[in-house]
PDB file of all heavy atoms in Angstrom:
ATOM      1  N   ALA A  47      17.366  -6.051 -13.401  1.00 89.00           N
ATOM      2  CA  ALA A  47      18.147  -5.873 -12.172  1.00 89.00           C
ATOM      3  C   ALA A  47      17.533  -6.726 -11.066  1.00 89.00           C
ATOM      4  O   ALA A  47      16.302  -6.849 -10.983  1.00 89.00           O
ATOM      5  CB  ALA A  47      18.158  -4.410 -11.737  1.00 89.00           C
ATOM      6  N   PRO A  48      18.348  -7.331 -10.216  1.00 90.00           N
ATOM      7  CA  PRO A  48      17.813  -8.078  -9.072  1.00 90.00           C
ATOM      8  C   PRO A  48      17.251  -7.118  -8.028  1.00 90.00           C
ATOM      9  O   PRO A  48      17.845  -6.083  -7.737  1.00 90.00           O
ATOM     10  CB  PRO A  48      19.030  -8.834  -8.547  1.00 90.00           C
ATOM     11  CG  PRO A  48      20.195  -7.996  -8.947  1.00 90.00           C
ATOM     12  CD  PRO A  48      19.829  -7.371 -10.255  1.00 90.00           C
ATOM     13  N   LEU A  49      16.086  -7.465  -7.471  1.00 88.00           N
ATOM     14  CA  LEU A  49      15.440  -6.627  -6.456  1.00 88.00           C
ATOM     15  C   LEU A  49      15.619  -7.174  -5.048  1.00 88.00           C
ATOM     16  O   LEU A  49      15.558  -6.408  -4.081  1.00 88.00           O
ATOM     17  CB  LEU A  49      13.943  -6.494  -6.760  1.00 88.00           C
ATOM     18  CG  LEU A  49      13.590  -5.842  -8.102  1.00 88.00           C
ATOM     19  CD1 LEU A  49      12.080  -5.858  -8.306  1.00 88.00           C
ATOM     20  CD2 LEU A  49      14.122  -4.421  -8.175  1.00 88.00           C
ATOM     21  N   VAL A  50      15.821  -8.487  -4.936  1.00 88.00           N
ATOM     22  CA  VAL A  50      15.995  -9.098  -3.619  1.00 88.00           C
ATOM     23  C   VAL A  50      17.189 -10.034  -3.636  1.00 88.00           C
ATOM     24  O   VAL A  50      17.604 -10.548  -4.686  1.00 88.00           O
ATOM     25  CB  VAL A  50      14.725  -9.881  -3.185  1.00 88.00           C
ATOM     26  CG1 VAL A  50      13.512  -8.982  -3.141  1.00 88.00           C
ATOM     27  CG2 VAL A  50      14.487 -11.061  -4.101  1.00 88.00           C
ATOM     28  N   GLN A  51      17.761 -10.204  -2.453  1.00 88.00           N
ATOM     29  CA  GLN A  51      18.832 -11.185  -2.252  1.00 88.00           C
ATOM     30  C   GLN A  51      18.235 -12.357  -1.496  1.00 88.00           C
ATOM     31  O   GLN A  51      17.687 -12.186  -0.409  1.00 88.00           O
ATOM     32  CB  GLN A  51      19.981 -10.560  -1.456  1.00 88.00           C
ATOM     33  CG  GLN A  51      20.711  -9.468  -2.215  1.00 88.00           C
ATOM     34  CD  GLN A  51      21.785  -8.803  -1.368  1.00 88.00           C
ATOM     35  OE1 GLN A  51      21.702  -8.816  -0.155  1.00 88.00           O
ATOM     36  NE2 GLN A  51      22.783  -8.207  -2.025  1.00 88.00           N
ATOM     37  N   ARG A  52      18.319 -13.536  -2.081  1.00 80.00           N
ATOM     38  CA  ARG A  52      17.711 -14.718  -1.497  1.00 80.00           C
ATOM     39  C   ARG A  52      18.786 -15.579  -0.859  1.00 80.00           C
ATOM     40  O   ARG A  52      19.830 -15.829  -1.474  1.00 80.00           O
ATOM     41  CB  ARG A  52      16.970 -15.532  -2.554  1.00 80.00           C
ATOM     42  CG  ARG A  52      15.964 -14.757  -3.389  1.00 80.00           C
ATOM     43  CD  ARG A  52      15.621 -15.524  -4.654  1.00 80.00           C
ATOM     44  NE  ARG A  52      14.595 -14.911  -5.480  1.00 80.00           N
ATOM     45  CZ  ARG A  52      14.825 -13.931  -6.352  1.00 80.00           C
ATOM     46  NH1 ARG A  52      16.049 -13.443  -6.490  1.00 80.00           N
ATOM     47  NH2 ARG A  52      13.843 -13.453  -7.082  1.00 80.00           N
ATOM     48  N   THR A  53      18.504 -16.023   0.354  1.00 73.00           N
ATOM     49  CA  THR A  53      19.338 -17.041   0.982  1.00 73.00           C
ATOM     50  C   THR A  53      18.392 -18.111   1.514  1.00 73.00           C
ATOM     51  O   THR A  53      17.173 -17.960   1.441  1.00 73.00           O
ATOM     52  CB  THR A  53      20.185 -16.472   2.142  1.00 73.00           C
ATOM     53  OG1 THR A  53      19.320 -16.130   3.227  1.00 73.00           O
ATOM     54  CG2 THR A  53      20.968 -15.236   1.707  1.00 73.00           C
ATOM     55  N   THR A  54      18.956 -19.172   2.038  1.00 65.00           N
ATOM     56  CA  THR A  54      18.103 -20.242   2.574  1.00 65.00           C
ATOM     57  C   THR A  54      17.348 -19.775   3.815  1.00 65.00           C
ATOM     58  O   THR A  54      16.336 -20.373   4.186  1.00 65.00           O
ATOM     59  CB  THR A  54      18.953 -21.473   2.928  1.00 65.00           C
ATOM     60  OG1 THR A  54      19.986 -21.076   3.835  1.00 65.00           O
ATOM     61  CG2 THR A  54      19.570 -22.061   1.668  1.00 65.00           C
ATOM     62  N   ARG A  55      17.837 -18.737   4.483  1.00 70.00           N
ATOM     63  CA  ARG A  55      17.220 -18.317   5.743  1.00 70.00           C
ATOM     64  C   ARG A  55      16.508 -16.973   5.672  1.00 70.00           C
ATOM     65  O   ARG A  55      15.659 -16.678   6.519  1.00 70.00           O
ATOM     66  CB  ARG A  55      18.287 -18.247   6.848  1.00 70.00           C
ATOM     67  CG  ARG A  55      18.887 -19.604   7.184  1.00 70.00           C
ATOM     68  CD  ARG A  55      19.818 -19.466   8.372  1.00 70.00           C
ATOM     69  NE  ARG A  55      20.354 -20.765   8.783  1.00 70.00           N
ATOM     70  CZ  ARG A  55      21.200 -20.931   9.810  1.00 70.00           C
ATOM     71  NH1 ARG A  55      21.587 -19.877  10.515  1.00 70.00           N
ATOM     72  NH2 ARG A  55      21.637 -22.144  10.117  1.00 70.00           N
ATOM     73  N   SER A  56      16.871 -16.115   4.724  1.00 75.00           N
ATOM     74  CA  SER A  56      16.293 -14.772   4.744  1.00 75.00           C
ATOM     75  C   SER A  56      16.190 -14.197   3.337  1.00 75.00           C
ATOM     76  O   SER A  56      16.777 -14.714   2.389  1.00 75.00           O
ATOM     77  CB  SER A  56      17.154 -13.833   5.611  1.00 75.00           C
ATOM     78  OG  SER A  56      18.438 -13.666   5.024  1.00 75.00           O
ATOM     79  N   VAL A  57      15.422 -13.124   3.269  1.00 83.00           N
ATOM     80  CA  VAL A  57      15.268 -12.354   2.034  1.00 83.00           C
ATOM     81  C   VAL A  57      15.515 -10.898   2.383  1.00 83.00           C
ATOM     82  O   VAL A  57      14.931 -10.366   3.330  1.00 83.00           O
ATOM     83  CB  VAL A  57      13.853 -12.515   1.449  1.00 83.00           C
ATOM     84  CG1 VAL A  57      13.666 -11.590   0.246  1.00 83.00           C
ATOM     85  CG2 VAL A  57      13.586 -13.949   1.039  1.00 83.00           C
ATOM     86  N   SER A  58      16.372 -10.245   1.642  1.00 88.00           N
ATOM     87  CA  SER A  58      16.644  -8.825   1.862  1.00 88.00           C
ATOM     88  C   SER A  58      16.609  -8.108   0.525  1.00 88.00           C
ATOM     89  O   SER A  58      16.741  -8.729  -0.541  1.00 88.00           O
ATOM     90  CB  SER A  58      18.003  -8.623   2.541  1.00 88.00           C
ATOM     91  OG  SER A  58      19.047  -9.143   1.727  1.00 88.00           O
ATOM     92  N   LEU A  59      16.434  -6.814   0.562  1.00 88.00           N
ATOM     93  CA  LEU A  59      16.368  -6.027  -0.667  1.00 88.00           C
ATOM     94  C   LEU A  59      17.749  -5.595  -1.111  1.00 88.00           C
ATOM     95  O   LEU A  59      18.622  -5.260  -0.296  1.00 88.00           O
ATOM     96  CB  LEU A  59      15.501  -4.782  -0.451  1.00 88.00           C
ATOM     97  CG  LEU A  59      14.033  -5.001  -0.078  1.00 88.00           C
ATOM     98  CD1 LEU A  59      13.305  -3.663  -0.018  1.00 88.00           C
ATOM     99  CD2 LEU A  59      13.338  -5.923  -1.058  1.00 88.00           C
ATOM    100  N   THR A  60      17.952  -5.595  -2.417  1.00 90.00           N
ATOM    101  CA  THR A  60      19.170  -5.039  -2.974  1.00 90.00           C
ATOM    102  C   THR A  60      19.052  -3.514  -2.980  1.00 90.00           C
ATOM    103  O   THR A  60      17.988  -2.954  -2.664  1.00 90.00           O
ATOM    104  CB  THR A  60      19.387  -5.533  -4.404  1.00 90.00           C
ATOM    105  OG1 THR A  60      18.296  -5.048  -5.216  1.00 90.00           O
ATOM    106  CG2 THR A  60      19.420  -7.054  -4.476  1.00 90.00           C
ATOM    107  N   GLU A  61      20.104  -2.831  -3.367  1.00 90.00           N
ATOM    108  CA  GLU A  61      20.041  -1.369  -3.475  1.00 90.00           C
ATOM    109  C   GLU A  61      18.969  -0.965  -4.486  1.00 90.00           C
ATOM    110  O   GLU A  61      18.184  -0.046  -4.240  1.00 90.00           O
ATOM    111  CB  GLU A  61      21.397  -0.813  -3.899  1.00 90.00           C
ATOM    112  CG  GLU A  61      21.419   0.707  -4.001  1.00 90.00           C
ATOM    113  CD  GLU A  61      22.771   1.246  -4.426  1.00 90.00           C
ATOM    114  OE1 GLU A  61      23.690   0.440  -4.631  1.00 90.00           O
ATOM    115  OE2 GLU A  61      22.888   2.481  -4.548  1.00 90.00           O
ATOM    116  N   ALA A  62      18.914  -1.703  -5.615  1.00 89.00           N
ATOM    117  CA  ALA A  62      17.880  -1.422  -6.613  1.00 89.00           C
ATOM    118  C   ALA A  62      16.492  -1.702  -6.029  1.00 89.00           C
ATOM    119  O   ALA A  62      15.525  -0.974  -6.310  1.00 89.00           O
ATOM    120  CB  ALA A  62      18.114  -2.278  -7.860  1.00 89.00           C
ATOM    121  N   GLY A  63      16.404  -2.751  -5.218  1.00 84.00           N
ATOM    122  CA  GLY A  63      15.133  -3.070  -4.595  1.00 84.00           C
ATOM    123  C   GLY A  63      14.656  -1.983  -3.660  1.00 84.00           C
ATOM    124  O   GLY A  63      13.455  -1.661  -3.613  1.00 84.00           O
ATOM    125  N   GLU A  64      15.584  -1.417  -2.872  1.00 89.00           N
ATOM    126  CA  GLU A  64      15.224  -0.335  -1.950  1.00 89.00           C
ATOM    127  C   GLU A  64      14.725   0.882  -2.720  1.00 89.00           C
ATOM    128  O   GLU A  64      13.716   1.504  -2.350  1.00 89.00           O
ATOM    129  CB  GLU A  64      16.435   0.055  -1.096  1.00 89.00           C
ATOM    130  CG  GLU A  64      16.905  -1.019  -0.123  1.00 89.00           C
ATOM    131  CD  GLU A  64      16.007  -1.137   1.099  1.00 89.00           C
ATOM    132  OE1 GLU A  64      14.997  -0.400   1.173  1.00 89.00           O
ATOM    133  OE2 GLU A  64      16.311  -1.980   1.960  1.00 89.00           O
ATOM    134  N   VAL A  65      15.410   1.222  -3.812  1.00 88.00           N
ATOM    135  CA  VAL A  65      15.001   2.368  -4.633  1.00 88.00           C
ATOM    136  C   VAL A  65      13.630   2.114  -5.251  1.00 88.00           C
ATOM    137  O   VAL A  65      12.746   2.985  -5.258  1.00 88.00           O
ATOM    138  CB  VAL A  65      16.048   2.644  -5.728  1.00 88.00           C
ATOM    139  CG1 VAL A  65      15.529   3.698  -6.716  1.00 88.00           C
ATOM    140  CG2 VAL A  65      17.358   3.104  -5.108  1.00 88.00           C
ATOM    141  N   PHE A  66      13.444   0.908  -5.782  1.00 87.00           N
ATOM    142  CA  PHE A  66      12.178   0.556  -6.424  1.00 87.00           C
ATOM    143  C   PHE A  66      11.032   0.562  -5.416  1.00 87.00           C
ATOM    144  O   PHE A  66       9.935   1.040  -5.711  1.00 87.00           O
ATOM    145  CB  PHE A  66      12.318  -0.823  -7.072  1.00 87.00           C
ATOM    146  CG  PHE A  66      11.194  -1.181  -7.996  1.00 87.00           C
ATOM    147  CD1 PHE A  66      10.957  -0.446  -9.149  1.00 87.00           C
ATOM    148  CD2 PHE A  66      10.370  -2.260  -7.723  1.00 87.00           C
ATOM    149  CE1 PHE A  66       9.913  -0.772 -10.013  1.00 87.00           C
ATOM    150  CE2 PHE A  66       9.318  -2.595  -8.576  1.00 87.00           C
ATOM    151  CZ  PHE A  66       9.100  -1.848  -9.729  1.00 87.00           C
ATOM    152  N   LEU A  67      11.292   0.078  -4.200  1.00 86.00           N
ATOM    153  CA  LEU A  67      10.269   0.050  -3.161  1.00 86.00           C
ATOM    154  C   LEU A  67       9.791   1.455  -2.833  1.00 86.00           C
ATOM    155  O   LEU A  67       8.578   1.712  -2.741  1.00 86.00           O
ATOM    156  CB  LEU A  67      10.813  -0.628  -1.905  1.00 86.00           C
ATOM    157  CG  LEU A  67       9.886  -0.647  -0.683  1.00 86.00           C
ATOM    158  CD1 LEU A  67       8.638  -1.469  -0.972  1.00 86.00           C
ATOM    159  CD2 LEU A  67      10.611  -1.189   0.539  1.00 86.00           C
TER     160      LEU A  67
END
Side-chain angles (χ1 to χ4, degrees):
L49 299 176
V50 301
Q51 293 176 335
R52 308 162 176 82
T53 69
T54 56
R55 295 186 176 180
S56 65
V57 174
S58 61
L59 298 185
T60 63
E61 181 180 0
E64 293 284 2
V65 171
F66 192 63
L67 176 64

